[in-house]
C-alpha cells in the first residue's frame, strides 16, 4: 500500500471530504449567498451612510441652531458658492454647503434640513419597526406554541385588526395619540411627535409577522428537535426562545427590513395629515411643505426630500429581497 | 356549501365585535376631547362641561350605575351602554363642523369617491395583470427585468410626491388637466382624469410584483407541466391554465381593496380637492371632528370585514376544491 | 435490425443555480424500440426525471438547459425542432405521465376538460367528439361510469383514479412512446399493481413503446425489456432485464439487487446501499461511486495496489487510485451488456460504444425473489 500524494489524488480526497461536508448553518449560508451578489454591498453601504448621517444629526454638529438658521434669501435656488460677510469690507464669495440644495421659505438651508430629517426618518422607522416586530414575534410565538385559548385570543385580535384597513387604523391611532398627556408612575408624559407616531405605526403593523410566526411555530413544534429538547427537560421558554425562535428568525429579519420602508413612507402621509412631527424638520414635512412650491418652480426642497426617501427605500427594498432569497428555506435549493 | 356560508358568517361576528371594541376604546379613551374643538379657544370649564353634557360625553366610559345616575339627577346610561349600541345601530351624533348627521354626509360623498377610485382600481388591476403576465412569460429576460425593476422604483417614490409631481407637471405646468377641483354630474369627468392618472401611477408597482410572484408560482406547478406535455402552447398555458388559477388570489386581493375605493385615497382627494370620503376624513382630522372619524373608521372597517367574508364565499365559486368540500 | 423509435445520444443537461452550475445529466445515451419497455432505475436525484423531461424539452427553463446531445425520434432530432413542431410531438407522438397524480391535474378544470383538451390539440375534432373520445379513453383505462366522471374535478378522485385519468389523457391520442415517470410511486401497493397491469395491457394491445422510470426493482423485473441503471448523472449499467438480474456487472447494480428483500414486496425503496447519495452540486471526482463502492475497497486491501485515502464524515478508508482519479465511461463489457466500472472483468479492453438493445423479454413476468441468487 502506498500513499500516493499526487495532486490528482489530493483533489479526490478533497472531493470526498466535500461530499461529506455538513450543511452550513442557515446564517453562514445566507451570508455566503448575500456575498455572491456584489450589489448587496452597495445597498449596505448606502444604508450605512444614511445611518451615519442620522447619528451625526444627534450630535451638536448638526443641531437645531444649524438647520434653523437663516442662511440666505427666501427660496434661493441651489448654488455651489455664496457670498459671506455681506455688507462688510470682507465681503467675498466662497463655497457654501448650506446653499447646495437652496433655501426654503424662511431662507433656511434645505440640505441641512434634509440631513437632519434623516434622524427623524430613521428614529421613527427603526423604533416603529422594532415595536411591531417585537409584538408580532411574541404574540406569534405564544399563539403557535400554546394553542388553545391563548391562540384563539391572539388570532381573534389579529383578525380583528386585520379587518380594519391599515391606513385608517394607523391614522385613527395617530390622531388619538396626538398630544396626549398620560399620568404614569406619578409623572406626566406628553406624547409629542415621534413617540405618538412610533406607537401609531408599531401598534398597527404587527399582524403580518404575527400570523407568519404562528404558522411557522405550529409547524416547528411538531418537529423532532423540539421533542428532543423536551425529552431532556428543557422548559417552555427555553424551547421557544432557544429552539423555535432561531429557526424562524429569518421571518423577523425580513419583516423588520421591509417594515422600515413602509414606515418611512407612512411618515410622509402622517405629516400631510398634520399628524407628523412638529418641531423639527422631517422628510414628510418637507414634502408636505413643498406641495405648492413646485408650481412656483421651487423644486429643490421637494426633489431633495423625495430623493432621500427614494434612496433609502430602494436600498432597503433590494436588500430585503436579497435577504428573503438568501434566507428562504424553500429557495435554498439543492442541499 | 350553505353550511360553509353560515359558518363563515358566524365567524365574522366576533370580529365585528372586536372592531367595535377597538374603535370604541380608541375614540372614548384615547382620542382628544372634542369638547375643546367645539368650544374653541379659551372657554371656561363650566362651558366645557355643558358641551360635554350636550354631546353625551359626561357619562362614565363603561357601564353606568343606576344609583350614581339618580344621585346626579340624569338619565341612567353609560357611555358604553348608550353610545356602543348607537354605533352598532349606526346612530352617530352630528358632525361638529357641518352640523349634519354623519350618515347623510357619508352617503353624499361616497359616490364621488367611487367615481374616482373605481376607474383607478380597474385600470390599475388591468395594467398590473398585463405587466405581470409579460414578466411571467419572459421570466429572467429583459422585459421581466425592466418591468420588475420599474415596479420597485415606482414603489419607492412616496405617494405624496407622485401626486405633487403629477399635479404640478401635468396640471399646472403643461396645462393639460385642471390642477384640482370638482364639478357636478358629468362635468366632473374633466376633473377626474388627472387624479385617476396619478392614482394609477402611484399604485401600480406593488401589484405587479405581487401578481408576478403568484403567476410564477403557478408556472412551475405540476399541472402546468402536464399541460405542456400534452402539447399546449405557452400562450395557451398562460391564458387558460395559469390565469384561471391565478384568478383565485386576484379575487382575494381585489375584494379586499373595495372598501378603500369608498374611502378614496386620503391624499388624492385632499390634494385634488375632490369632495369625497377621503377628503372628508382628512378634514375631520384637521377639525377634530370626532363623530365623522368614529363613523368612518367603524363603518369602513365593517364594510371591509363584510367584503372579506364575501371573498371567502366568492372563493367557493371560483375554486371547485372549496366549492365541493 | 429494426430502427430505434427514440435514441438519446450523449445528452448533457445543466441547471444554473445560485451556487453555480450543476450537471444532473451527463452523456446519457439510451434507445427504445417500438413495443419495447426501457426501464431507467436509480436512487433519488440521479437524473432520471431530468433526462426524461429533456426528451420532451420540458425541463424548467430557466434554470435548466440542454448543453449538448441529440434526441433522435423517427429520424428527427427533437432538440432541433421549433417550439411549434415540438408541440405537435408532445402528447401526440410522445406522451408523459408523472409521479404525482395529486398535483399533476389542473384543479380548476374538470377531468373531461383536461382529456378533451389533449384530444382537440392533436385531432381535428369538434368539442363534442372530443368529449366522446375522452369518455372512451376513460373507459379504456378502467374508470367506471366515465360519463359522469367527465364532469368531476380532480380533487374528487382518489390518487389511483387520478393516475388512471393521467394515463387516459396520455393515451387519448395514441402515442408511439409513453414516458412514465414513476407512475406508481405515490400510490399504495394494490393500486400500483393495477396501474402497471393496465400499462402492460395497453402496451400489448397497441404496441406502444414505454420509457419506465422507477425506483422499484420489482417493477423493473415485471415490466422491463431492457434496463438502464443511472448513478449520479450517468448511466452506469445497461443490459437486457434477465441479464441484468442474473449477472450484474456494476457494484452499484449489485448493491441495488442486494437491497431488495428476497421475499416479494414490491415497493421497497432503494435505500439500503450504505453511504449518501451524492449532491449534484458536489460530485466526487473519479468514479462517482467510489466513496460508497465495496469493490474498490476490497481491491485496495490487496497488497501492492495503488491506493489513496478517502475521508468522509463517518469513516476513513482506502480506495484504488484509478477509481478515485479516473472516471470510468460506459463500455460494452460483454456482448449486449454495458457497464462503467474499472474493475468489471474485461473493462479495459472493451469498446466504448453507445448502448443500444432491441431485446424483448422472453418471459412476461417473473417474481423478483427467484432472480436473485
Ligand atoms: N428545477 C431544478 N433546479 C435545479 N436543480 C434541479 C431542478 N430539477 C432537478 N434538479 C437537480 O437535478 C437532479 C436530478 O433530478 P431528477 O429529478 O432527475 O432526479 P430523479 O432521478 O428523477 O429523482 P427522483 O427519483 O427523486 O425523482 C436533482 O438532484 C436536482 O438537484
Ligand atoms: S470504478 Fe471503482 S469505484 Fe467505481 S464502481 Fe468500479 S470499482 Fe467501484
Ligand atoms: Mg424523478
Amino acid at each position: 500500500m502506498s500513499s500516493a500524494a499526487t495532486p490528482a489524488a489530493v483533489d479526490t480526497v478533497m472531493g470526498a471530504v466535500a461530499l461529506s461536508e455538513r450543511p452550513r448553518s442557515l446564517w453562514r449560508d445566507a451570508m455566503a449567498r448575500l456575498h455572491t451578489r456584489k450589489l448587496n454591498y452597495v445597498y449596505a453601504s448606502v444604508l450605512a451612510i444614511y445611518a451615519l448621517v442620522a447619528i451625526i444629526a444627534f450630535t451638536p454638529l448638526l443641531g437645531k441652531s444649524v438647520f434653523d438658521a437663516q442662511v440666505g434669501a427666501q427660496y434661493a435656488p441651489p448654488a455651489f458658492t455664496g457670498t459671506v460677510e455681506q455688507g462688510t469690507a470682507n465681503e467675498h464669495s466662497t463655497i457654501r454647503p448650506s446653499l447646495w440644495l437652496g433655501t426654503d421659505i424662511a431662507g433656511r438651508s434645505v440640505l441641512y434640513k434634509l440631513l437632519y430629517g434623516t434622524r427623524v426618518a430613521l428614529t421613527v422607522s427603526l423604533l416603529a419597526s422594532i415595536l411591531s416586530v417585537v409584538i408580532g414575534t411574541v404574540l406569534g410565538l405564544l399563539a403557535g406554541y400554546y394553542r388553545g385559548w391563548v391562540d384563539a385570543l391572539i388570532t381573534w385580535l389579529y383578525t380583528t385588526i386585520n379587518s380594519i384597513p391599515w391606513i385608517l387604523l394607523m391614522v385613527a391611532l395617530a390622531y388619538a395619540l396626538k398630544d396626549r398627556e398620560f399620568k404614569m408612575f406619578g409623572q406626566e408624559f406628553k406624547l409629542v411627535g415621534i413617540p405618538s407616531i412610533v406607537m401609531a405605526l408599531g401598534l398597527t403593523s404587527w399582524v403580518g409577522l404575527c400570523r407568519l410566526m404562528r404558522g411557522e411555530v405550529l409547524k416547528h413544534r411538531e418537529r423532532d428537535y423540539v421533542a428532543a429538547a423536551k425529552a431532556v427537560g428543557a422548559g417552555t421558554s427555553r424551547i421557544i426562545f432557544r429552539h423555535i425562535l432561531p429557526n424562524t428568525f429569518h421571518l423577523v429579519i425580513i419583516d423588520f427590513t421591509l417594515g422600515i420602508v413602509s414606515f418611512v413612507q407612512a411618515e410622509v402621509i402622517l405629516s400631510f395629515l398634520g399628524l407628523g412631527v412638529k418641531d423639527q424638520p422631517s422628510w414628510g414635512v418637507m414634502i408636505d411643505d413643498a406641495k405648492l412650491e413646485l408650481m412656483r418652480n421651487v423644486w429643490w426642497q421637494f426633489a431633495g426630500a423625495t430623493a432621500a426617501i427614494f434612496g433609502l427605500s430602494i436600498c432597503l427594498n433590494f436588500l430585503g429581497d436579497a435577504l428573503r432569497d438568501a434566507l428562504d428555506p424553500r429557495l435554498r435549493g439543492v442541499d | 356549501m350553505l353550511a360553509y356560508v353560515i359558518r363563515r358568517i358566524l365567524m365574522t361576528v366576533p370580529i365585528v365585535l372586536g372592531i367595535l371594541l377597538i374603535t370604541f376604546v380608541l375614540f372614548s379613551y384615547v382620542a382628544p376631547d372634542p369638547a375643546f374643538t367645539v368650544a374653541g379657544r379659551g372657554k371656561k370649564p363650566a362651558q366645557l362641561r355643558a358641551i360635554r353634557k350636550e354631546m353625551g360625553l359626561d357619562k362614565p366610559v363603561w357601564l353606568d350605575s343606576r344609583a350614581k345616575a339618580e344621585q346626579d339627577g340624569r338619565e341612567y346610561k353609560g357611555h358604553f351602554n348608550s353610545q356602543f349600541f348607537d354605533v352598532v345601530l349606526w346612530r352617530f351624533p352630528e358632525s361638529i363642523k357641518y352640523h349634519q348627521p354623519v350618515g347623510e354626509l357619508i352617503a353624499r360623498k361616497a359616490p364621488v369617491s367611487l367615481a374616482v377610485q373605481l376607474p383607478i382600481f380597474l385600470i390599475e388591476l388591468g395594467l398590473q395583470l398585463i405587466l405581470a403576465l409579460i414578466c411571467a412569460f419572459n421570466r429572467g429576460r429583459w422585459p421581466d427585468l425592466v418591468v420588475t425593476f420599474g415596479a420597485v422604483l415606482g414603489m419607492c417614490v412616496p405617494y405624496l410626491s407622485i401626486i405633487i409631481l403629477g399635479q404640478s407637471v401635468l396640471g399646472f405646468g403643461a396645462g393639460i388637466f385642471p390642477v384640482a377641483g370638482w364639478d357636478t354630474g358629468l362635468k366632473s369627468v374633466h376633473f377626474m382624469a388627472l387624479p385617476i392618472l396619478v392614482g394609477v401611477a402611484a399604485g401600480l408597482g406593488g401589484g405587479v410584483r405581487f401578481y408576478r410572484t403568484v403567476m410564477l408560482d403557478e408556472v412551475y406547478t405540476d399541472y402546468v407541466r402536464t399541460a405542456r406535455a400534452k402539447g399546449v402552447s405557452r400562450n395557451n398555458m398562460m391564458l387558460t391554465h395559469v390565469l384561471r388559477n391565478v384568478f383565485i388570489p386576484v379575487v382575494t386581493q381585489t375584494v379586499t381593496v373595495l372598501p378603500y375605493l369608498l374611502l378614496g385615497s386620503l391624499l388624492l382627494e385632499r390634494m385634488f380637492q375632490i369632495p369625497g370620503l377621503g377628503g372628508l376624513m382628512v378634514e375631520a382630522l384637521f377639525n377634530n371632528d370626532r363623530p365623522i372619524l368614529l363613523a368612518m373608521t367603524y363603518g369602513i372597517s365593517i364594510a371591509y370585514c363584510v367584503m372579506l367574508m364575501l371573498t371567502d364565499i366568492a372563493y367557493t365559486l371560483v375554486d371547485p376544491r372549496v366549492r365541493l368540500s | 435490425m429494426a430502427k430505434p423509435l427514440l435514441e438519446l445520444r450523449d445528452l448533457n443537461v445543466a441547471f444554473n443555480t445560485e451556487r453555480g452550475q450543476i450537471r444532473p445529466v451527463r452523456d446519457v445515451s439510451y434507445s427504445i424500440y417500438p413495443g419495447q419497455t426501457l426501464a431507467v432505475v436509480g436512487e433519488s436525484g440521479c437524473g432520471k426525471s431530468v433526462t426524461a423531461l429533456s426528451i420532451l424539452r420540458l425541463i424548467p427553463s430557466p434554470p435548466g438547459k440542454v448543453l449538448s446531445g441529440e434526441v433522435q425520434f423517427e429520424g428527427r432530432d427533437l432538440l432541433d425542432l421549433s417550439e411549434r413542431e415540438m408541440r405537435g410531438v408532445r402528447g401526440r407522438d410522445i406522451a408523459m405521465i408523472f409521479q404525482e397524480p395529486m398535483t399533476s391535474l389542473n384543479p380548476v378544470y374538470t377531468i373531461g376538460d383536461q382529456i378533451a383538451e389533449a384530444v382537440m390539440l392533436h385531432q381535428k375534432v369538434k368539442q363534442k367528439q372530443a368529449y366522446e373520445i375522452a369518455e372512451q379513453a376513460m373507459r379504456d383505462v378502467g374508470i367506471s361510469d366515465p360519463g359522469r366522471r367527465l364532469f368531476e374535478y380532480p380533487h374528487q378522485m382518489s390518487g389511483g383514479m387520478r393516475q388512471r385519468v393521467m394515463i387516459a389523457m396520455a393515451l387519448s391520442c395514441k402515442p408511439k412512446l409513453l414516458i412514465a415517470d414513476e407512475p406508481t410511486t405515490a400510490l399504495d401497493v394494490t393500486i400500483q399493481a393495477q396501474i402497471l397491469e393496465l400499462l402492460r395491457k395497453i402496451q400489448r394491445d397497441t404496441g406502444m413503446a414505454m420509457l419506465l422510470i422507477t425506483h422499484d426493482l420489482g417493477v423493473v423485473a415485471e415490466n422491463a425489456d431492457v434496463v438502464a441503471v443511472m448513478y449520479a448523472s450517468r448511466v452506469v449499467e445497461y443490459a437486457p432485464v434477465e441479464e441484468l438480474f442474473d449477472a450484474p456487472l456494476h457494484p452499484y447494480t449489485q448493491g441495488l439487487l442486494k437491497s431488495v428483500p428476497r421475499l416479494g414486496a414490491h415497493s421497497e425503496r432503494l435505500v439500503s446501499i450504505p453511504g449518501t447519495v451524492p449532491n449534484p452540486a458536489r460530485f466526487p471526482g473519479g468514479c462517482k461511486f467510489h466513496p460508497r463502492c465495496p469493490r474498490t475497497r476490497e481491491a485496495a486491501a490487496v497488497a501492492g495496489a495503488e491506493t489513496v485515502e478517502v475521508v468522509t464524515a463517518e469513516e476513513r478508508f482506502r480506495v484504488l487510485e484509478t477509481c478515485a482519479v479516473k472516471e470510468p465511461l460506459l463500455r460494452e463489457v460483454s456482448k449486449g451488456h454495458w457497464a462503467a466500472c474499472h474493475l468489471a472483468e474485461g473493462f479495459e479492453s472493451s469498446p466504448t460504444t453507445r448502448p443500444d438493445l432491441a431485446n424483448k423479454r422472453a418471459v412476461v413476468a417473473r417474481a423478483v425473489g427467484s432472480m436473485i441468487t
Side-chain angles (χ1 to χ4, degrees), chain A residues 19-145:
Chain A
L19 180 83
S20 64
E21 185 186 307
R22 287 179 193 287
R24 282 177 283 178
S25 83
L26 180 72
W27 295 102
R28 290 257 316 271
D29 197 74
M31 287 318 288
R33 278 157 164 266
L34 288 175
H35 174 79
T36 53
R37 294 215 42 202
K38 301 299 173 220
L39 261 180
N40 291 337
Y41 284 104
V42 177
Y43 308 141
S45 328
V46 176
L47 289 179
I49 293 173
Y50 273 94
L52 198 67
V53 170
I55 292 168
I56 292 172
F58 270 106
T59 64
L61 221 58
L62 208 65
K64 199 172 167 64
S65 57
V66 177
F67 71 78
D68 239 3
Q70 187 177 350
V71 296
Q74 182 186 37
Y75 292 142
F80 190 61
T81 57
T83 332
V84 285
E85 296 181 59
Q86 224 146 7
T88 66
N90 202 12
E91 181 179 322
H92 64 281
S93 182
T94 177
I95 295 173
R96 292 189 59 194
S98 58
L99 295 181
W100 286 355
L101 270 181
T103 62
D104 70 355
I105 188 166
R108 289 171 300 195
S109 165
V110 169
L111 180 63
Y112 289 172
K113 277 168 71 179
L114 201 65
L115 293 176
Y116 196 83
T118 316
R119 164 180 160 169
V120 173
L122 286 192
T123 317
V124 165
S125 56
L126 278 175
L127 289 181
S129 217
I130 290 173
L131 184 60
S132 92
V133 156
V134 166
I135 299 177
T137 310
V138 170
L139 292 186
L141 286 172
L142 290 180
Y145 193 80

Side-chain angles (χ1 to χ4, degrees), chain A residues 334, chain B residues 220, chain C residues 15-17 22 24-25 42-51 60 63-64 99 181-182 213 215 269 278-280:
Chain A
V334 226
Chain B
Y220 286 87
Chain C
F15 284 103
N16 293 314
T17 69
I22 61 166
V25 174
E43 281 165 309
S44 193
C46 66
K48 306 181 295 292
S49 300
V50 172
T51 315
Q99 178 173 348
D181 188 355
E182 308 197 26
I213 296 170
H215 286 269
R269 287 287 182 106
N279 174 345

Side-chain angles (χ1 to χ4, degrees), chain C residues 250-251 287 289-290 293 295-296 323 328 340-343:
Chain C
H250 198 281
C287 174
F289 191 52
H290 83 255
C293 178
R295 186 181 286 172
T296 186
C323 292
C341 169
H342 293 304
L343 301 187

Side-chain angles (χ1 to χ4, degrees), chain B residues 244-245 248 315-325, chain C residues 101-115 131 138 143 145-159 161-163 165-166:
Chain B
R244 177 89 175 251
N245 278 279
I248 295 163
Y315 254 163
T316 59
L317 301 177
V318 182
D319 191 343
R321 280 166 295 193
V322 186
R323 191 193 315 159
L324 297 154
S325 60
Chain C
M102 294 301 185
T103 52
S104 292
L105 290 165
N106 192 332
V108 301
Y109 288 103
T110 61
I111 302 301
D113 290 338
Q114 298 187 53
I115 303 180
Y131 277 84
M138 283 167 76
I143 296 175
D145 199 1
R148 184 173 56 84
R149 291 264 155 129
L150 272 181
F151 302 101
E152 288 191 352
Y153 288 93
H155 67 275
Q156 291 169 277
M157 303 186 135
S158 67
M161 270 304 151
R162 279 188 236 190
Q163 197 58 295
V165 169
M166 287 292 293

